[in-house]
Amino acid sequence: MKLYKILGSLALIAAVSTSCAVHDPFADNMEIGQVLPTVAWEQGSVLVKAGSYASFKAQYYTVDEKQIDHSEAWAMITRKQEASATSKLTSSLSYTKSVSLTDTVRSSQCMQKYKHSDAKWDGHEYVLADSFPTSRTLAPVMWNAPSEWDQEKFDSYYPAGFQEEFVEYIVNALTKDSVYYNDLRNVYINYNFTAEKFEELNAKYGVSFPTVTETGDKSDAWFTTDVVDHYYYEVVEGGVTVIKEIATPDLAPSGANVYEIYKSSPWLMCRYSDDTGGKITNVRREYMPYWKDLISSIPFIDWIYNTADKNYAVSFSRTYYMQPDFRVYDTDGKVGITSDNQEITLN
């Protein structure tokens, strides 16, 4: 159940102080063939402001040989929480991570007790027009597209590990293969990586990739051309098609189809594809760990920052609901309970 970080114990969801017992006698008093008070009610609204009163009009009666003692309004409290975050640093990869939880934060208990003398006899049945309280601590919570980041709010609203799982998914999607080639290129070009980060990864992987940090310079560093640099042919090894690169066409086996590879950035393979009838480009597999390390250094809040709207693409809501019923007790302790109940949303 611990999908969300709960702020404090259920004491935070303050129970409304009443004179009713929390123990539910309904099951204890249910006997086959017993005579129970007949009860129905009309709820004033299914939308009530937290901290105010929910109104109702109840009607009830019992057989002549029985007497009504009192009535009570009961309610169970449930909570629904929804949270999401959307990547704004990618475009073709449109990724939103969402979580949702509905749970019971307070079991059914008495909200208000009413004296039988408060009801009016209308010639057919007793009528009680009254209300029961709600708690202001059950007010809804909304946090949507904030312009300023608040890590404390995020930590209290979102489940542990959400940020890490979000970033891990994005990084893996961009570096698993070249499906999101353009997104990976755009992240490299547009994100403000430091020269020190490039130097660190160059040393780690034994390469000499550009350490430029200006957007224009990075765009020039990640390039392709139509200039033929060398060639390749394909062979099937172990049931898998493998590309073999060669300096000149005459180095290919007899009968093999030879295709062009164009001059490009060292981490790219830009080649002619007989399947598409044109040029295709992908990141060379042996260099993908470099790019994975690089973009893994981008913090969560930078992935979700919307530069156009100047806000963070997160959305959180917490809403509380009441499942009420109305109960009428006779002097023998027998209980009649409503079945025509409507859920109340607290706003």
Side-chain angles (χ1 to χ4, degrees):
M1 295 294 288
K2 193 178 179 183
L3 179 56
Y4 291 85
K5 179 177 178 182
I6 306 301
L7 295 180
S9 68
L10 291 184
L12 177 64
I13 313 303
V16 178
S17 176
T18 75
S19 59
C20 313
V22 174
H23 173 62
D24 184 352
F26 185 65
D28 297 340
N29 286 279
M30 195 67 177
E31 300 171 4
I32 297 176
Q34 69 177 310
V35 176
L36 303 176
T38 299
V39 55
W41 71 339
E42 301 170 15
Q43 295 171 232
S45 177
V46 294
L47 190 64
V48 176
K49 186 174 180 61
S52 63
Y53 285 77
S55 63
F56 65 87
K57 183 171 74 171
Q59 305 90 27
Y60 61 87
Y61 63 90
T62 190
V63 294
D64 291 342
E65 59 269 25
K66 299 288 184 179
Q67 292 185 336
I68 301 296
D69 183 74
H70 72 283
S71 58
E72 297 174 357
W74 285 60
M76 178 175 71
I77 307 298
T78 60
R79 171 183 57 199
K80 183 175 183 179
Q81 300 184 102
E82 297 179 306
S84 67
T86 300
S87 173
K88 291 298 181 180
L89 201 55
T90 56
S91 53
S92 56
L93 175 58
S94 179
Y95 176 60
T96 297
K97 179 176 173 61
S98 302
V99 290
S100 178
L101 171 69
T102 299
D103 60 347
T104 299
V105 296
R106 191 172 70 200
S107 60
S108 187
Q109 58 186 260
C110 182
M111 306 298 293
Q112 186 74 50
K113 184 175 181 179
Y114 311 92
K115 295 183 293 184
H116 176 50
S117 60
D118 292 337
K120 307 298 183 185
W121 177 255
D122 69 355
H124 303 283
E125 59 191 355
Y126 292 100
V127 178
L128 176 68
D130 213 311
S131 63
F132 56 88
T134 66
S135 173
R136 63 182 180 181
T137 63
L138 303 179
V141 175
M142 296 290 295
W143 192 52
N144 185 50
S147 57
E148 298 291 335
W149 186 250
D150 190 325
Q151 189 63 42
E152 285 190 14
K153 279 188 177 180
F154 182 88
D155 291 342
S156 67
Y157 296 156
Y158 284 67
F162 185 97
Q163 295 182 84
E164 293 77 10
E165 291 171 9
F166 183 96
V167 172
E168 181 181 21
Y169 180 92
I170 291 286
V171 169
N172 287 340
L174 294 184
T175 59
K176 178 182 178 182
D177 46 39
S178 289
V179 170
Y180 296 108
Y181 168 85
N182 288 327
D183 267 335
L184 180 59
R185 180 180 186 274
N186 290 336
V187 169
Y188 161 68
I189 291 172
N190 296 315
Y191 188 74
N192 187 28
F193 297 105
T194 65
E196 289 76 17
K197 189 63 183 179
F198 291 123
E199 291 167 357
E200 172 193 329
L201 293 179
N202 282 353
K204 177 178 179 179
Y205 290 98
V207 298
S208 56
F209 290 170
T211 60
V212 294
T213 58
E214 293 298 322
T215 297
D217 292 338
K218 285 189 287 184
S219 180
D220 292 340
W222 189 306
F223 70 93
T224 63
T225 71
D226 293 325
V227 177
V228 177
D229 186 68
H230 57 290
Y231 302 85
Y232 77 96
Y233 64 93
E234 297 177 340
V235 295
V236 177
E237 297 179 352
V240 177
T241 300
V242 178
I243 290 177
K244 299 289 188 178
E245 298 184 45
I246 51 178
T248 58
D250 58 286
L251 296 176
S254 176
N257 293 321
V258 179
Y259 305 101
E260 298 169 333
I261 294 180
Y262 306 102
K263 185 175 179 61
S264 63
S265 305
W267 55 85
L268 302 178
M269 174 177 279
C270 181
R271 61 189 174 91
Y272 175 84
S273 169
D274 199 31
D275 293 332
T276 65
K279 185 171 68 174
I280 61 173
T281 305
N282 61 274
V283 177
R284 291 179 180 273
R285 185 175 298 276
E286 62 266 31
Y287 294 122
M288 200 62 96
Y290 179 102
W291 299 105
K292 185 171 186 176
D293 262 13
L294 180 66
I295 66 173
S296 292
S297 68
I298 301 174
F300 168 74
I301 62 173
D302 289 349
W303 285 108
I304 64 169
Y305 185 67
N306 188 332
T307 55
D309 297 333
K310 307 299 182 185
N311 59 31
Y312 294 91
V314 291
S315 179
F316 172 82
S317 66
R318 177 186 293 150
T319 307
Y320 293 95
Y321 303 89
M322 302 182 77
Q323 281 74 40
D325 61 66
F326 189 75
R327 307 181 183 194
V328 176
Y329 298 73
D330 65 20
T331 52
D332 292 333
K334 305 305 181 185
V335 186
I337 185 169
T338 53
S339 59
D340 52 342
N341 307 309
Q342 292 182 293
E343 181 180 75
I344 295 173
T345 301
L346 297 173
N347 67 352

